[in-house]
Amino acid sequence: MGTIQTLPGTRDILPEEIGYWQYVESIATQILSRAMYYEIRPPIFEQTSLFERGIGEATDVVGKEMYTFTDRGDRSLTLRPEGTAGVVRAYLQNNLYAVGGVQRLWYCGPMFRYERPQAGRQRQFHQIGLELIGTADPRADVEAIALGTDILKTLGLQSLKLDINSVGDRKDRQNYREALVNYFLPYKEELDPDSQDRLERNPLRILDSKAKRTKEINQNAPNILQYLGDTSKKHFDQVQQLLTDLGIEYNINPCLVRGLDYYTHTAFEMISDDLGAQATVCGGGRYDGLVEELGGNSTPAVGWAIGMERLIILLKQLQASPQMTPDLYLVSRGEAAEAQGLILAQKLRAEGLTVELDMSGSAFAKQFKRADRSGAIACLVLGEEEAANKTLQLKWLQTKEQQAMTQTDLFNQVGELKEQLNRHKRTMSNSTE
Ligand code: ATP
Ligand code: MG
């Protein structure tokens, strides 16, 4: 019998790669906290009806990508395919609107969609998402966009392009929808099958098609910006002005649409040239109708989601995975020394030092080799003699200098030891720059 393997479209995030993930999460936490966004952690599975209502049955996600199953209690559950519906449910269920003012929320975690696995497209993938609920102010759209841009720029992704569009309000879109259907009907037979299907259910999404002939037909389709009413036009103008004021470059893409009724006004995407077909790293927009759709009072909101796998594909092109390195590597041999070594390691960790304990029991020479490889700055050595006298050797791995001291002295002088370690770290990083 062979070993059990992961399912298609899922993968392990291994230690060699985890540094990227932790780095991305720490930068996101830092940038979003500075703008007073709180993290929220809704459950990973929810009632199926939440996503049917919150994403829309006419979408690909609900139509053919959801992981839906019946549990032992005969409930229909779905593994969340995206984060917004769950966040809005939590907002309503926990009366977060009662807090007053706006709610600034973000989340991070796995999402599940039954799609064809390929580079940048998995069945379990991860998103970082932001939701700003409770304001229709164009500054909210721009704060959301600016924070997404900040995260990606801080991570070193300088060359992403920002596409924006406005899908107007409900009324604008009704008019536009009619014009679109009238335009597409004569071409019906030439559209790709998905788009033919969308003609009745969700015609705006035809503009999103990647099929060659449909793309050609799209070129002369009516432009949504010509269907915006005064309010929508004003909102979109303000968004553009504020982006310009912030020095954020953008491109208006009238084909960038979200087809459902609760999407309103601004839609945007951040796109990379270095990702091949799966080029969108961040997608978002305003969804003024969603809270009401899920049973709340009419509440405007805006948000986005970043696909972490795609982001990390880009990060890998820029830098090696951040690795952990110990300050100290603890080498010991002999029963008493090994027991003392474990205690010393724990005490030093409690002092805030990073300590790797060699547990191999192998010869000193082998342990020293591993110490060198670990990237540690110094080594603590405990042999039989040291154990008997409650002493140890402190060996600096770069200079090979070695000093003997009692274990008590090590802790009495731990502040000084930390300073020495920091000095070594600084000279090491200077010499690699
Ligand atoms: P796409 O057009 O690539 O399918 P989408 O419109 O379905 O994207 P959203 O629902 O807007 O995507 O999700 C936001 C982001 O999450 C995407 O821009 C992408 O970076 C990421 N993402 C979406 N689906 C997947 C997936 N199956 N695997 C990996 N990342 C994904
Ligand atoms: Mg998709």
Side-chain angles (χ1 to χ4, degrees):
M1 239 182 2
T3 55
I4 294 171
Q5 309 282 307
T6 52
L7 289 159
T10 71
R11 52 189 289 273
D12 300 308
I13 299 166
L14 295 171
E16 64 187 34
E17 195 194 334
I18 197 68
Y20 289 118
W21 293 80
Q22 293 175 334
Y23 176 48
V24 169
E25 286 168 28
S26 72
I27 294 292
T29 308
Q30 196 183 80
I31 286 174
L32 297 174
S33 305
R34 281 186 198 148
M36 290 300 288
Y37 283 71
Y38 276 95
E39 188 181 357
I40 179 168
R41 299 188 183 183
I44 285 174
F45 58 84
E46 301 257 12
Q47 293 191 41
T48 301
S49 55
L50 172 68
F51 302 114
E52 287 170 349
R53 279 165 68 183
I55 305 172
E57 311 214 31
T59 58
D60 285 351
V61 171
V62 174
K64 48 191 184 196
E65 295 174 358
M66 292 212 297
Y67 275 92
T68 297
F69 61 98
T70 309
D71 77 357
R72 289 168 198 271
D74 247 352
R75 302 174 192 89
S76 178
L77 310 183
T78 295
L79 302 184
R80 63 179 186 195
E82 53 96 62
T84 306
V87 171
V88 171
R89 186 215 29 78
Y91 171 83
L92 292 171
Q93 180 176 338
N94 301 289
N95 305 332
L96 298 186
Y97 48 82
V99 177
V102 299
Q103 280 288 324
R104 289 182 159 94
L105 302 168
W106 70 283
Y107 60 83
C108 169
M111 306 294 161
F112 305 85
R113 296 183 194 176
Y114 195 83
E115 299 197 76
R116 193 168 69 76
Q118 53 197 291
R121 195 174 288 290
Q122 294 177 204
R123 291 182 174 170
Q124 173 171 334
F125 62 100
H126 298 77
Q127 288 182 338
I128 291 180
L130 168 153
E131 317 291 356
L132 172 44
I133 307 175
T135 170
D137 194 310
R139 283 177 298 173
D141 311 41
V142 175
E143 175 173 291
I145 294 174
L147 290 169
T149 311
D150 280 350
I151 292 173
L152 298 169
K153 285 233 165 96
T154 307
L155 290 167
L157 310 182
Q158 302 288 342
S159 59
L160 293 188
K161 286 191 307 225
L162 170 66
D163 270 13
I164 62 170
N165 192 25
S166 171
V167 296
D169 59 21
R170 205 171 279 224
K171 212 171 115 257
D172 305 336
R173 222 173 22 255
Q174 242 157 30
N175 297 334
Y176 180 58
R177 198 186 148 109
E178 255 167 58
L180 262 190
V181 174
N182 287 337
Y183 171 78
F184 282 125
L185 267 178
Y187 297 105
K188 183 164 183 192
E189 300 308 314
E190 295 172 61
L191 297 174
D192 60 284
D194 270 347
S195 296
Q196 289 185 13
D197 203 41
R198 284 175 179 144
L199 196 50
E200 276 140 52
R201 298 196 304 147
N202 198 356
L204 270 71
R205 285 296 302 270
I206 299 177
L207 299 173
D208 219 16
S209 171
K210 307 281 184 288
K212 186 165 170 275
R213 179 62 187 139
T214 308
K215 272 168 87 171
E216 286 167 11
I217 297 170
N218 282 343
Q219 299 216 314
N220 294 317
N223 182 334
I224 190 158
L225 298 175
Q226 253 113 55
Y227 288 78
L228 298 185
D230 287 344
T231 323
S232 302
K233 229 183 264 158
K234 185 169 173 221
H235 186 93
F236 194 40
D237 284 343
Q238 283 175 307
V239 166
Q240 291 176 58
Q241 184 60 51
L242 292 165
L243 286 171
T244 305
D245 293 347
L246 278 178
I248 298 174
E249 283 174 35
Y250 62 87
N251 165 53
I252 295 175
N253 173 4
C255 285
L256 174 57
V257 288
R258 323 214 130 214
L260 298 167
D261 277 353
Y262 37 78
Y263 292 116
T264 51
H265 302 293
T266 321
F268 58 89
E269 280 187 357
M270 297 173 202
I271 303 155
S272 165
D273 286 333
D274 306 318
L275 279 174
Q278 267 61 59
T280 306
V281 178
C282 175
R286 185 164 269 292
Y287 53 92
D288 290 348
L290 179 60
V291 178
E292 200 174 2
E293 180 68 32
L294 291 177
N297 293 327
S298 168
T299 308
V302 56
W304 50 249
I306 291 176
M308 292 181 77
E309 276 77 7
R310 294 183 196 175
L311 171 55
I312 285 169
I313 292 173
L314 292 173
L315 264 187
K316 283 182 179 169
Q317 297 169 3
L318 292 179
Q319 61 170 84
S321 177
Q323 296 292 320
M324 290 195 285
T325 47
D327 300 316
L328 297 167
Y329 192 95
L330 205 149
V331 163
S332 58
R333 196 163 155 80
E335 211 172 305
E338 285 168 6
Q340 283 178 25
L342 173 64
I343 296 169
L344 271 181
Q346 280 295 90
K347 281 185 165 170
L348 289 162
R349 291 165 182 160
E351 295 287 347
L353 290 164
T354 308
V355 184
E356 183 166 351
L357 176 62
D358 192 308
M359 289 198 184
S360 64
S362 47
F364 273 123
K366 278 200 172 157
Q367 294 195 43
F368 281 131
K369 224 176 233 160
R370 271 194 293 272
D372 278 326
R373 248 180 287 143
S374 76
I377 299 159
C379 207
L380 296 179
V381 191
L382 282 148
E384 271 166 41
E385 204 184 309
E386 285 82 11
N389 306 325
K390 294 279 168 66
T391 58
L392 54 79
Q393 306 281 334
L394 172 62
K395 185 174 168 190
W396 297 92
L397 286 168
Q398 239 186 351
T399 59
K400 310 287 173 210
E401 266 169 68
Q402 191 164 321
Q403 57 197 103
M405 61 176 77
T406 67
Q407 293 176 16
T408 317
D409 278 347
L410 178 74
F411 284 98
N412 287 340
Q413 298 158 21
V414 75
E416 203 176 303
L417 174 65
K418 282 186 192 168
E419 266 171 42
Q420 273 178 296
L421 288 166
N422 281 336
R423 267 203 301 279
H424 275 262
K425 265 189 227 173
R426 276 198 298 274
T427 49
M428 273 159 72
S429 69
N430 285 342
S431 63
T432 53
E433 263 162 24

